[in-house]
Structure formats: structure tokens, C-alpha cells
Amino acid sequence: MIMVKVITYGTYDLFHYGHQRLLERAKALGDYLIVGVTSDSFDLTRGKINAQQSLMERIESVRRTGLADEIIVEEYEGQKIDDIRRYDIDIFTVGSDWRGKFDYLSEFCKVVYLDRTEGISSSELRAEKRVLRIGLVGESIVLNKFVRESQYVNGVKISGIYTLDSSKLSDKIKKEYCITSDYDSLLDLSDAIYVVSHPSRHYSQIMVALNKDKHVLCESPITLDYQELSRLRELAKKRNLILMDSLKTAYCTAYSRLVLLAKSGRIGDVVSVDATCTSLQNVGADLSNVWNSICAWGPTAMLPIFQMLGTNYDKKQIISRFVEPDFDIFSKISFVYPHAVASLKVGKGVKSEGELIVSGTNGYIYVPAPWWKTDYFELRYENPLDNRRYFYQLEGEGIRMMILVFAKAVEHHSSNKYLNDDISAAIVSVMQDFYSANQLIKI
Ligand code: CTP
């Protein structure tokens, strides 16, 4: 007897009756059923970042039905054709909501659309959950991106914007959202806030928000003083609130993969991490609301250093050039570790190549500019034939994933796996040294 092999794909978030019925009928089409569960990153490219459950949880739901003879993960565009060939598939099937979309596969096997079960979907189940109302705080152009990206994340809604200067907000946002200069009124409308105001205001704004029982997502550096950060963390803990660092790069897939590869020894021992971030900006006129180089770029440039080499360096030196007492147009920081070194260069008034290079005893990782929002990097070795290139589609500069991680943290009180508290604290320590001119050389 010839075995008929069937394959089907889906997200299977919050597993429901419609999924069960689909799998039963898919199984009945043949003798052997393979279920492809869509990975988080692949889902992202379809705009479905909103899966409430992790990939492992979703695989587990499918496994529990006992209907799948084999479960695979769908990770990339075009994988279906590869799978059909590799597993020698006879029938490809999905629900009728996809009718016509997969006709192109009929070149490789039979395509069957099964009637979708009426009246139930993961989207509806997710929508029944409580919506997290996020209020935005600040004057930055990033607010426009945050609003846009929040629309891709299920279960969050922007409740309004508190700002001292709305000139950077798009006309559309000004029209559609409540813009206020009354901080308390924004807090009253919100369950959580996203803070991207000038770093000198973070501490007092976060303090007020936590005291009103609001969760906080804050642009790095969270504060400019270590004691202040500790006080905020204690308060958040006491009140059972989330206080999360929103350093965007930490939430980019390509970036987190390269950190993993470096840590897993793919380039041998990491001996040097060198990161440069610059964005030339007119640093004349009024600088009171403008982020200086160390605040605007320092946290991002420190991220790979602290994630790959740890936060326990022996020595550091900060060298900065200033245009005003607290405004550096360029800073260079060197860190010395027991068996490694690191350096960063950041500038708002100086331009350079924004690359990241991680040097190891066997090879190096090269990330082209702008590395902080990269989708691409290379592992390079003495013998170029050994070189490897990696590409991971980046949606929304990491902001989309960051909002999702924050919303999940609020819901489940889970810890942040992308960026741990030690790193945010080490960043704040460097800020404090900069502002107190400790280990600082002015040029
Ligand atoms: N499906 C179905 N009946 C439903 C819901 C889903 O037959 N009521 C099928 C889909 O057509 C697909 C499979 O189950 O073949 C997996 O669907 P998935 O996209 O994971 O579930 P949905 O509930 O459709 O998710 P969403 O609401 O996020 O689109």
C-alpha cells in the first residue's frame, strides 16, 4: 500500500476548536500528517507578530492533539516548496480562508482547501483579552514610529501623548490622538507609559507614573544616576510593576542572533568589541531638548559590549569633545576587561562609519552600518571559504518586538530575556561617570 502524506501549516495560537477540526480533517485526507507550526520570526513577516503564545507553547498544543505524526517549524518564505519535496508530500491542505493563495503549489502536489470552522479564530480570542493602554511621553520623532508599530501588536492601544513640544509629531498623529501638556491626565488614561523625553526628566516622570501604578517602558538611559535607577527599581518591585528598558537594538532578531553566535564560540574567544554609532545633527541653537551624543548613542553602543563581555570591566576611560558644558558632540569610551577590550565611538556632531566588529581568536563578526538596526551580518575567517552570511528580516527597527515583549511582560510579569537589568544598570553607571566627570578626559 502506498502511504499518502499530508502537510498543513498554521500559527495555532491559543489552540481552539477550529484548529482541532482542521487537523482532524487534514489527517483524514491521508495516512501521515505533518504539521508546520509557524515560527515567531516568520510570522512577523506576515504581520502576525501578535501570537500570544510562544512557539514552544503552540507546538505543544498541536502535539497534544495526537493528530500530527510529525511537527516541523516553518521558518522562511518559500519553505513550503522545500518541505513538499523533502518529505515527498502528496497533499497540501489549509483552511478555506486561504483559498486560491496556495494554488501555485499544485505544481508539486495536490492542494486541498478545507472549510474553515465558522465563529472562532485566534484573533477573536486574543481580542477578548484586556487591551493595554500605553501613554506616550516625550518630544522625540521616535513617537511617530512607536504609534505606527503599536498597530501591529495585538492587545495594545495608544491612549494619548504628553509632550512639551509637539513639532516632531506627524499631522496624522496630532489629529488622531489626544495630545496634552497635562501629565496627570495622560496617566489617568493609561495602564502604562512609554518615556522618550529628555533623559534629565526620566527620573521624575517615571517616579510619578510608578506611584500611580503605571507600568513603564523607558528609552535608555533610564536615568543618569545609579541611585535613582535603584530607587525606581525598588518602587516598581514593591508595587509589582514593570520597568523596562526600551533599547531598540536589543529586540532586533539579527542582532540577538549575532550575540548568541559570538557567545557560543563561533569566532573563538571574544577579545575585542568595537562599536560606532553616529548621526550628524545641527547642534547649534537651543540644545535643551536635544539628546547629547552619550545619551543618544551611548546605550546602544554599550549594548553589544556588555552583552558579550559582561558588565564587570576593570577599567574604563571616557574621552569627549564638548560644545556646551553637558553637550558632547563626540565621545569615545574604552573598556578594559581581564582578557578583552572594547571601545565605542558615538557622535551627534561627528560622522563616522556606523559598524560593529567583534574580534575573536578564530575569526570576527562584521556588521555593516547602520549595525544598530541591521538585518545582516557576516562571520569572517582567515580562509574566506569559511565565511558565513546571515540575514534576518527586521520589522519596524525592533520597535514592534519591543512593544510585544513589554505587553507580554505586563501581562505575565515575566522577566525581559532580551535585555537584562544588569545591562541597563551598567549603562546608567557609565552615564553617571560621564556627568560627574569621573574618568573623563575633555578634548
Ligand atoms: N482554521 C480553521 N477554522 C478556524 C480557524 C482556523 O479551519 N475557525 C484553520 C486555518 O484555516 C489554518 C489553520 O486552522 O489552516 C491554522 O490557522 P491559524 O491561522 O493558526 O488560526 P486562526 O484562528 O485563523 O488565526 P488568526 O485569527 O490569527 O488568523
Side-chain angles (χ1 to χ4, degrees), residues 399-418:
I399 299 175
R400 205 179 293 181
M401 183 59 96
M402 171 184 92
I403 301 174
L404 181 74
V405 172
F406 178 63
K408 279 194 172 182
V410 168
E411 195 185 340
H412 304 296
H413 280 271
S414 48
S415 63
N416 184 352
K417 293 185 192 72
Y418 290 81

Side-chain angles (χ1 to χ4, degrees), residues 221 223-230 294-295 302 316 318 425-440:
T223 61
L224 299 175
D225 175 283
Y226 190 81
Q227 293 302 325
E228 288 184 351
L229 177 66
S230 305
I294 194 91
C295 285
M302 281 181 242
K316 81 165 169 296
I318 310 173
I427 290 171
V428 169
S429 290
V430 174
M431 294 298 155
Q432 182 167 353
D433 285 335
F434 173 86
Y435 280 98
S436 56
N438 187 16
Q439 300 157 328
L440 175 77

Side-chain angles (χ1 to χ4, degrees), residues 11-12 16 19 22 48 95 97 116-117 120-123 126:
T11 311
Y12 304 102
H16 55 68
H19 294 144
L22 182 111
K48 266 201 177 187
D97 43 327
R116 189 179 160 91
T117 306
I120 188 152
S121 75
S122 304
S123 307
R126 284 189 296 258

Side-chain angles (χ1 to χ4, degrees), residues 10 28 52 57 77 83 121 141 162 181 264-265 287 291 362 393:
Q52 198 78 203
E57 289 167 323
E77 202 96 42
D83 289 341
S121 75
I141 199 157
Y162 164 76
S181 52
S264 70
L287 293 175
W291 293 48
N362 293 337
Q393 186 69 39

Side-chain angles (χ1 to χ4, degrees), residues 6-12 23 33-39 42-43 46 55 58-59 62 68 70-75 79-80 83 87 92-94:
V6 183
I7 196 160
T8 187
Y9 296 85
T11 311
Y12 304 102
L23 292 180
L33 176 65
I34 302 180
V35 180
V37 180
T38 312
S39 77
F42 182 67
D43 246 22
R46 301 190 310 165
L55 176 63
R58 293 181 283 115
I59 289 176
V62 173
E70 198 170 333
I71 298 175
I72 59 171
V73 176
E74 186 187 26
E75 287 191 284
Q79 183 180 327
K80 292 188 179 75
D83 289 341
Y87 297 105
F92 167 92
T93 186
V94 276

